[in-house]
């Protein structure tokens, strides 16, 4: 197992450590619900340094990115980021990712930890245009500072006005006494905040200063378990659960990041799906009775016939009810449709709802 540069820090803080995507990661510190509430109400810090970072450079960098990604990266200007996915040749998704335009002809691709090697090989295999690629994953750390008090808590650490950084925009500037840090108004929680990219040698100093600056704002370290409940309340897809090599972006409700203004991997087949419809769709549901839906549970109709499967599920800390995502036959995907989640021997009634579950 790999460690992040902060592994010893997490252990010293009493974190429960678990293997995750090949890394030794903190799953929780004081408990999922308390950590979840910290991010919803104040500010929390995640070590997500296990994520992968690829630099794509050169005059053909954009050509390569356009070929492998579903969104239209030509719309990016310096200082902007874009959520996208990489379709495979068979109608599924290699990975979802965020693309940052650092400067002209220089892009940073941030990919999921479990897919670093797979993604690297995939992009390389499509690089017939001669773009320069560098894998920075082992050299860089990533902190997610999330919550409604993040701007106020972190402002003393930088000369830049954090309130001026709009959602999915970023700057490269000073932070916690370190120069050339990426401060990005992105995140996976739906509660606002920033992601900080820095070198491994710098992250401990930044971590310490972040907690010092946030002390008066209730700042706490947050583990991966709360990261999962937070993202699920927003309906954000998790690779390996809600999207994978067998799910198309159209089925997954990611048509909004699938732009047919250009040619990209498998774009013709995906365009046909968008025009003619799909036989299954990813839906969001809330349980009508008490229960906790889990990944892999069957979704059934009123007669007990299987119509789909839960891909993500939890007891929502913010709402106090069972919520989940899952694929169902398209005829059951309309908002307010009634479905049932098979929890052991019981078919628990549920209702298809519009995302996000958590509305600020």
């Amino acid at each position: 197992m790999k460690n992040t540069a902060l592994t010893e820090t997490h252990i010293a803080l009493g974190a429960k450590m678990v293997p995750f995507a090949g890394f030794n990661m903190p799953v929780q510190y004081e408990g999922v619900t308390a950590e979840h509430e910290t991010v919803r109400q104040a500010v929390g810090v995640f070590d997500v340094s296990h994520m992968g970072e690829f630099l794509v450079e050169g005059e053909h960098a954009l050509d390569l990115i356009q070929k492998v990604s579903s969104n239209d990266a030509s719309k990016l200007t310096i200082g902007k980021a874009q959520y996208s996915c990489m379709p495979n040749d068979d109608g599924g998704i290699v990975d979802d990712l965020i693309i940052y335009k650092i400067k002209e002809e220089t892009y940073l691709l941030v990919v999921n930890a479990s897919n670093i090697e797979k993604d690297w090989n995939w992009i390389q295999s499509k690089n017939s245009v001669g773009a320069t690629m560098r894998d920075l994953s082992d050299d860089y750390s990533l902190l997610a500072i999330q919550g409604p008090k993040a701007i106020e808590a972190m402002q003393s650490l930088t000369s830049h006005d954090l309130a001026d950084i709009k959602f999915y925009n970023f700057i490269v500037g000073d932070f916690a006494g370190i120069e050339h840090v990426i401060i990005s108004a992105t995140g996976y929680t739906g509660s606002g905040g920033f992601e900080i990219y820095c070198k491994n040698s710098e992250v401990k100093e930044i971590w310490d200063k972040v907690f010092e600056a946030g002390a008066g704002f209730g700042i706490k370290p947050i583990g991966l378990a709360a990261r999962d409940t937070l993202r699920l309340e927003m309906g954000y897809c998790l690779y390996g659960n809600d999207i994978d090599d067998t799910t198309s972006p159209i089925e997954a409700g990611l048509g909004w990041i699938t732009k047919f203004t250009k040619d990209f991997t498998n774009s013709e087949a995906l365009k046909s799906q968008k025009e003619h419809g799909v036989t299954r769709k990813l839906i969001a549901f809330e349980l009508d009775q008490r229960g906790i839906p889990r990944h892999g549970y069957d979704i059934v109709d009123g007669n007990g016939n299987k119509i789909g499967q839960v891909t993500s599920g939890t007891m929502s800390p913010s709402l106090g009810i069972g919520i989940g995502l899952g694929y169902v036959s398209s005829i059951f995907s309309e908002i307010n449709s009634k479905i049932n989640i098979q929890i052991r021997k019981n078919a628990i009634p549920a209702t298809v709802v519009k995302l996000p579950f958590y509305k600020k």
Side-chain angles (χ1 to χ4, degrees), residues 45-102:
V45 185
F46 305 80
D47 175 15
V48 282
S49 303
H50 59 319
M51 300 290 282
E53 294 89 15
F54 304 153
L55 206 62
V56 181
E57 298 177 286
E59 63 176 312
H60 297 296
L62 181 60
D63 296 335
L64 174 59
I65 290 166
Q66 290 287 71
K67 187 192 295 189
V68 299
S69 66
S70 62
N71 211 333
D72 188 354
S74 71
K75 303 292 187 193
L76 284 171
T77 54
I78 295 169
K80 289 192 178 294
Q82 182 184 76
Y83 180 59
S84 190
C85 76
M86 292 189 289
N88 63 24
D89 291 321
D90 308 311
I93 297 170
V94 178
D95 203 2
D96 61 339
L97 73 165
I98 297 179
I99 302 166
Y100 294 81
K101 185 167 185 176
I102 307 293

Side-chain angles (χ1 to χ4, degrees), residues 201-310:
S201 58
E202 300 164 339
V203 71
K204 179 62 165 69
E205 183 180 346
I206 290 177
W207 173 277
D208 290 343
K209 288 183 178 177
V210 161
F211 277 87
E212 194 180 318
F217 299 89
I219 198 167
K220 290 179 181 176
I222 313 295
L224 292 179
R227 181 173 159 85
D228 194 50
T229 56
L230 288 157
R231 70 90 194 168
L232 184 48
E233 285 187 347
M234 298 308 297
Y236 296 153
C237 289
L238 176 64
Y239 193 89
N241 281 40
D242 314 303
I243 51 176
D244 59 29
D245 287 300
T246 69
T247 60
S248 91
I250 307 303
E251 292 173 334
L254 296 177
W256 62 281
I257 61 163
T258 310
K259 303 290 171 60
F260 299 107
T261 51
K262 56 162 196 169
D263 287 328
F264 58 87
T265 304
N266 209 34
S267 57
E268 283 304 312
L270 294 177
K271 188 175 182 181
S272 177
Q273 280 190 359
K274 189 156 191 177
E275 289 171 351
H276 299 110
V278 289
T279 57
R280 63 170 185 167
K281 288 183 179 177
L282 186 67
I283 52 116
F285 63 85
E286 295 177 353
L287 294 190
D288 299 334
Q289 298 175 9
R290 189 150 186 85
I292 305 176
R294 299 291 187 198
H295 172 78
Y297 284 5
D298 284 345
I299 303 175
V300 298
D301 65 14
N303 297 316
N305 301 306
K306 183 176 176 179
I307 57 170
Q309 193 168 55
V310 177

Side-chain angles (χ1 to χ4, degrees), residues 35 58 163 179 225 231 355:
E35 292 170 33
E179 296 294 331
R231 70 90 194 168
L355 289 170

Side-chain angles (χ1 to χ4, degrees), residues 39-42 146-149 188-193 230 234 358 360:
V39 175
R40 285 280 181 251
Q41 306 300 330
Q146 298 283 292
K149 295 184 180 177
Y188 202 46
T189 65
S191 282
L230 288 157
M234 298 308 297
Y358 175 75
K360 300 173 198 175

